[in-house]
């Protein structure tokens, strides 16, 4: 038996295209039963990578994900 899941999804917070809500809606429309949002958080001594969540946005990002998980 196959369970439709996706455990590797990025949003516009890193190098994806849609918002977390957009990504979740798309997953639900495709019948996914489980998913994981796996945005990049890469902070190097020289600073964050361009494809990464910006350090000053981490708290807002986590609040967004928590709010969507609660819904």
């Amino acid at each position: 038996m196959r369970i439709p899941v996706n455990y590797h999804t990025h949003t516009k917070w890193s190098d994806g295209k849609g918002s977390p809500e957009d990504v979740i809606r798309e997953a639900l429309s495709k019948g996914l039963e489980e998913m994981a949002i796996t945005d990049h958080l890469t902070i190097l001594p020289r600073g964050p990578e361009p494809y990464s969540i910006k350090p000053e946005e981490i708290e807002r990002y986590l609040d967004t994900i928590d709010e969507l998980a609660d819904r």
Side-chain angles (χ1 to χ4, degrees):
M1 179 169 102
R2 297 180 115 187
I3 299 172
V5 299
N6 179 349
Y7 294 130
H8 192 127
T9 302
H10 299 172
T11 72
K12 67 180 182 177
W13 283 85
S14 63
D15 63 347
K17 298 205 187 288
S19 70
E21 191 165 5
D22 293 338
V23 169
I24 292 167
R25 276 197 187 115
E26 181 71 16
L28 291 172
S29 76
K30 291 182 177 184
L32 291 172
E33 294 185 20
E34 297 179 11
M35 71 170 296
I37 294 176
T38 56
D39 284 308
H40 296 281
L41 176 57
T42 306
I43 302 173
L44 303 172
R46 67 179 181 272
E49 291 293 319
Y51 57 81
S52 176
I53 299 167
K54 293 174 180 59
E56 64 272 13
E57 294 180 337
I58 293 169
E59 189 172 338
R60 190 164 63 107
Y61 170 79
L62 293 174
D63 288 345
T64 299
I65 299 301
D66 285 344
E67 185 229 321
L68 289 168
D70 288 344
R71 279 201 250 158

